[in-house]
DNA sequence: ACCTTTTCCTAAATCGGTTTCTTGACAGCA
DNA sequence: TGCTGTCAAGAAACCGATTTAGGAAAAGGT
């Protein structure tokens, strides 16, 4: 099969350890004659030798690999995270293995097991958050991992999240100042801490302006187009329709808009809409959506940085939670409420 | 650190090989007493032992890992491929490592080297197609790989592609039958075989109806929103504007629509548009785009199947090129040409 | 001429498993 | 008693690298 270090040693007529020392470069100009070194390099090139990383890794007790566990790579949010994580990985000669949970808790647990067997050096995880004991185990073992975009509030971990509470608070405040007093919240997956924080931000903003919280205006659970469609349809059928909607997760805005247009309503004339997205354009709209733009690239980058730090110095580990602010960008999907 | 097989053996008081034999299950009810087996299983559970796959893989000469080299995971087309590849991998206990080339030839070559050092068992690649000698080398070595969505026409490889020529041929034919006689082609990356085939399909359809091929109507090179915008702007500024556009790659349709609306034109009244997409909705449009829907999931699945087959029986390898038809779905972005 | 120091390289252990070969104990049988 | 056969488990080689310790030969010093 593939050429091994032994093969090279035999060809050159030296001991494998000599070849290894020369190739590692650690003993450059030292302990090995110029002549031998040259011959080894030539032979390596000639036979196109490439070290077996499996063997190397076993010996060196490392894999240069991390695991990325996310709900779904088809969601541009996670694809973006994966992309920037990939860029950081490349810089440090790491590779990463992607696993999609589809928000199924069991899958997450199995993936973690699998990746540990493969001896990945760390994990970046957007947790399903239906159970959490397995993370406590990871902490006990001091296994490096970073939560991305979600976190647990009852124990410390490394985490990189967006400032969901304040991001939504500001967006809702903006809607209130436009005169909206019936603002609907189309929620994402309730189990997600991010979604919960967004709901809190929504309620916090209403509270600040002494507005009543109407549970009928808080609908939806799940992060699919279909889910967004149904939830929006529901909220639009209320006797007293909301005049503005905050759609608290990226892809569901598509379903929301679909429902709005199907109901014969127009944006922003009948309903103002604020979404979560980092795209310039949105389906159904020929103008920019007013939206909370999350720093997706930063999420991936910072998660890697944190993870790498833990991997490099496992002993002096102190858990950090990094909170990144989003950018609120006003588009044309929001306007003053009628009569204000 | 982690518990090893040796540790388990020591705890139980048997030789490591015994533990291995019990855990492998290959010698079930044979050669090992019920008592010992039970004790071993208990100890494994107690210490939460999980085999070191690095060591296993080294011994067994396999990694259960494949590499996926694509232009960009942010492009939903490749994300879709990655997703379905992931599903197939999971079924067979494989993992995969994603590498994004950004269509840079050098990166592709480096990634292949890196993945080979890591001893991945095979590769699924959407090649940059600016050079191809490295693929010939892979073939010489009988290294398992499958090209996805693009292929080389001057040598045989495993490949899974869409039926680009015919897909576009039919779409253009459809436009012709609607009475359009100035049909523009917004191209993707020219180096891509898929894009070339689409251009051929476009020309083939025009030829069939004895329509002249106007090079001014064939514009663009690259697969970015920005590129689509510029190319479309260019084509719309022609003295005699096209009445229909075929946008031959998925994401550039966004740039194309942007340019169209910026020019104050409307779809489909002023310009009919056919795109490549598998999404229900399209930015800028509140109605469905007429489009060529590629079987993205199938692409990933079939690529894995082909690759797996090669990995399983490397000797009886016969290269296969699988061509998958797309679905042409008529939306509301196309209509009869004026005056026809 | 003898001892020390360099120079250059080999030997062998190691990482953590798998697998083939071997062995020891005991039962069955003549 | 002695031979064969079976059952349970141990010993050791192996996968392909790295690394520590050691050792032979040449060079240098007095």
């Amino acid at each position: 099969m593939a050429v091994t270090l032994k093969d090279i040693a035999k060809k050159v007529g030296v001991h494998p350890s000599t070849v290894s020392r020369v190739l590692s470069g650690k003993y450059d100009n030292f302990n090995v004659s110029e002549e031998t070194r040259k011959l080894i390099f030539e032979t390596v090139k000639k036979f196109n030798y490439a070290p077996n990383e499996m063997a190397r890794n076993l010996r060196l007790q490392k894999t240069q690999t991390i695991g990325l566990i996310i709900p779904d790579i088809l969601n541009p949010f996670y694809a973006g995270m994966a992309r920037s994580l990939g860029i950081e990985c490349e810089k440090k000669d790491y590779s990463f293995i992607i696993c999609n949970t589809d928000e199924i808790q069991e899958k997450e647990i199995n993936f973690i097991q699998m990746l540990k067997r493969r001896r990945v050096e760390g994990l970046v995880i957007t947790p399903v958050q239906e159970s959490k004991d397995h993370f406590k185990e990871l902490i006990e073992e001091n296994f490096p991992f970073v939560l991305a975009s979600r976190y647990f509030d009852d124990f410390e971990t490394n985490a990189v999240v967006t400032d969901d509470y304040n991001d939504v608070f500001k967006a809702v405040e903006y809607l209130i100042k436009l005169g909206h007093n019936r603002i609907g919240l189309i929620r994402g997956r309730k189990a997600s801490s991010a979604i919960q924080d967004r709901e809190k931000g929504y309620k916090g903003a209403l509270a600040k302006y002494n507005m009543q919280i109407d549970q009928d205006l808080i609908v939806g659970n799940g992060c699919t187009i279909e889910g967004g469609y149904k939830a929006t349809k529901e909220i639009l059928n209320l006797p007293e329709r909301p005049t503005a909607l905050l759609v608290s997760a990226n892809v569901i805005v598509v379903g929301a808009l679909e429902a709005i247009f199907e109901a014969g309503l127009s944006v922003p004339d009948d309903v103002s809409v604020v979404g979560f997205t980092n795209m310039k354009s949105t389906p159904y709209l020929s103008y920019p959506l007013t939206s909370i733009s999350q720093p997706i690239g930063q999420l991936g980058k910072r998660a890697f940085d944190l993870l790498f730090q833990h991997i490099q110095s496992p002993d002096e580990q102190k858990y950090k939670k990094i909170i990144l602010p989003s950018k609120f960008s006003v588009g044309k999907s929001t306007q003053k409420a009628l009569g204000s």
Side-chain angles (χ1 to χ4, degrees), chain A residues 131-142:
Chain A
S131 68
K132 49 192 166 191
D133 288 353
H134 48 299
F135 289 108
K136 290 181 182 164
E137 276 176 34
L138 291 179
I139 290 173
E140 270 175 38
E141 303 167 19
N142 195 29

Side-chain angles (χ1 to χ4, degrees), chain A residues 109-110 112-113 116 123 125 131-145 152 155-157 310 319:
Chain A
I109 293 172
N110 290 339
I112 292 175
Q113 289 305 321
K116 280 178 68 181
L123 298 169
I125 310 182
S131 68
K132 49 192 166 191
D133 288 353
H134 48 299
F135 289 108
K136 290 181 182 164
E137 276 176 34
L138 291 179
I139 290 173
E140 270 175 38
E141 303 167 19
N142 195 29
F143 189 92
F145 74 96
F152 293 102
F155 57 100
E156 272 193 305
T157 68
H310 189 169
Y319 295 115

